Amino acid sequence: MTTDNWTDIKEACEQVLPRDVVACIDRVRGSVHAESHLIAILHMVQAANGYLSREAMHAVAQLAQVPLAKVTGVATFYHYFRLHPRGKHMINVCLGTACYVKGADKISQRLMSDLGIGFGETTKDHMFSLESTRCLGTCGLAPVIMVDDQIHGPVTPGDVSTILDKYTKKEKAHKVAAPVQG
Ligand code: FES
């Protein structure tokens, strides 16, 4: 059942959600299993926006006509859903066995200290996000970290600032080289 101001609600939600997500929700709204489609819908939102903002989850709940608590419940239950924007560069520290025995915990501590964030967090300047992972399939290089899609290894705690600097400098160079708008 839709409300009298359904058109306004829908228009507001369409400002927040990608068009294909709105179309997907339109198809499943009102079905007895509407809630069971939430995972797929939230995946689509995250793929488009990079994370699940509070506004996006609210729009999904309104459009799908399911309680907001149900949407946030799904989003927080599954650890692959991100509730905060990711940094420009994603750092994954391998905590698999081979890396762990070769000092991955010291690498993690150094990264946390240099970046001032913990796992699952993003630096204030949105430059880096930090995550942990299990075996990146390059155990021969242990301990390894992966920045975006590039593997670094073997890494020592002393290498951490050099690696971070490389990405920070690349970013600065990119900004300088960017054409002036207007
Ligand atoms: S355990 Fe780290 S790459 Fe395999």
Side-chain angles (χ1 to χ4, degrees), residues 57-121:
M57 288 192 284
H58 203 270
V60 167
Q62 283 200 306
L63 266 189
Q65 302 205 307
V66 297
L68 177 60
K70 187 82 191 170
V71 177
T72 54
V74 170
T76 51
F77 182 78
Y78 294 100
H79 122 284
Y80 45 75
F81 286 128
R82 288 185 295 276
L83 304 182
H84 303 286
R86 271 169 52 147
K88 194 129 191 157
H89 299 288
M90 172 60 75
I91 302 173
N92 266 294
V93 184
C94 180
L95 297 181
T97 308
C99 288
Y100 198 82
V101 297
K102 292 209 170 180
D105 58 332
K106 291 193 178 70
I107 308 296
S108 306
Q109 279 161 19
R110 184 60 188 264
L111 276 163
M112 289 185 202
S113 160
D114 281 16
L115 295 170
I117 56 172
F119 286 126
E121 296 178 345

Side-chain angles (χ1 to χ4, degrees), residues 24-42 60 63-67 70-71 74:
C24 178
I25 297 176
D26 279 345
R27 282 196 299 276
V28 303
R29 185 177 43 253
S31 82
V32 275
H33 301 299
E35 291 180 10
S36 67
H37 297 285
L38 272 180
I39 293 178
I41 291 166
L42 293 179
V60 167
L63 266 189
Q65 302 205 307
V66 297
K70 187 82 191 170
V71 177
V74 170

Side-chain angles (χ1 to χ4, degrees), residues 162-174:
T162 309
I163 293 170
L164 295 179
D165 274 359
K166 188 177 134 193
Y167 288 89
T168 309
K169 278 183 188 150
K170 204 191 287 180
E171 211 55 52
K172 279 183 186 154
H174 184 71

Side-chain angles (χ1 to χ4, degrees), residues 94-100 133-144:
C94 180
L95 297 181
T97 308
C99 288
Y100 198 82
T133 188
R134 298 278 165 189
C135 194
L136 290 163
T138 53
C139 308
L141 296 175
V144 301

